Amino acid sequence: MTRWIWELRRARWRFGTFGWLALLLMMMAAGVAVSEILPMRADLARRTAELSRREAQLVHAPPPAPDVVGRAMTADQRFSVFLHSFHAIAGQHGLSVPQVTYQAVAEDEASLRRYLVEGTFTGSYLQVRTFVADLRLLRGVRIERVALSRTGIDKTQLDARIKCSFLVETSP
């Protein structure tokens, strides 16, 4: 026991005032790390996991079918829902649609409104095929043209251009 006391007195002499201050600062830094940084790191990990979960729900959200959304909507609102469905289905199959053009076409009957939609994207053959198959399941959609091309015979990515029309009843 006396040996330890002697070593502590000797350490005080060897460290000096600045050595003890440095040791005190290191202990304070360790205390801050334990009390502030570690809980913050755990909180950031929890928030990152929550954000990833919410992002996955947004990416894989089931597309609302334009005929299920509600009958009280106007034709333009139903077309907006269709565009959301179009992009959601593309997102489910890993396709991004960088360019979509659409226009309203006048129909002979006043109770119907037709919209033409053209989209271009790049993806594998399987992605394009499943996207077109799921797009056909939406009511009111008619696929008019699908054009596929690729830059070389050895490439697996296709450049796809889809032209479809969406027919919706207008409110009386």
Side-chain angles (χ1 to χ4, degrees):
M1 182 72 164
T2 58
R3 169 85 181 184
W4 286 104
I5 295 172
W6 181 79
E7 287 292 336
L8 285 175
R9 287 183 186 154
R10 187 171 162 210
R12 184 177 61 176
W13 174 75
R14 286 189 141 186
F15 278 170
T17 305
F18 293 112
W20 284 107
L21 286 175
L23 184 64
L24 181 65
L25 285 175
M26 285 192 285
M27 289 185 350
M28 286 175 54
V32 167
V34 168
S35 66
E36 296 289 329
I37 296 173
L38 294 178
M40 190 181 304
R41 187 178 290 171
D43 183 51
L44 285 175
R46 182 185 53 80
R47 288 180 186 213
T48 303
E50 175 69 18
L51 185 63
S52 297
R53 184 189 62 79
R54 289 174 57 196
E55 183 181 21
Q57 285 179 344
L58 290 176
V59 170
H60 302 294
D67 57 340
V68 175
V69 172
R71 298 279 182 204
M73 298 177 76
T74 66
D76 291 333
Q77 289 171 334
R78 292 176 76 122
F79 178 66
S80 298
V81 172
F82 164 73
L83 283 179
H84 170 74
S85 302
F86 185 85
H87 285 285
I89 292 171
Q92 283 179 348
H93 296 293
L95 300 171
S96 66
V97 185
Q99 180 183 1
V100 173
T101 57
Y102 53 88
Q103 65 182 18
V105 179
E107 286 290 315
D108 295 336
E109 296 181 33
S111 64
L112 295 177
R113 183 171 292 168
R114 183 173 169 227
Y115 296 93
L116 289 176
V117 179
E118 283 191 57
T120 59
F121 51 88
T122 302
S124 68
Y125 178 74
L126 182 60
Q127 289 173 323
V128 173
R129 185 175 174 184
T130 55
F131 170 70
V132 171
D134 285 350
L135 193 61
R136 287 183 184 185
L137 296 178
L138 290 178
R139 296 181 72 190
V141 175
R142 184 178 78 192
I143 297 176
E144 295 180 2
R145 183 176 57 223
V146 177
L148 302 174
S149 64
R150 61 180 165 190
T151 57
I153 193 71
D154 58 337
K155 304 293 182 193
T156 59
Q157 293 294 313
L158 300 171
D159 296 324
R161 183 166 187 84
I162 291 181
K163 181 178 181 181
C164 62
S165 62
F166 178 68
L167 194 64
V168 65
E169 291 179 311
T170 58
S171 300

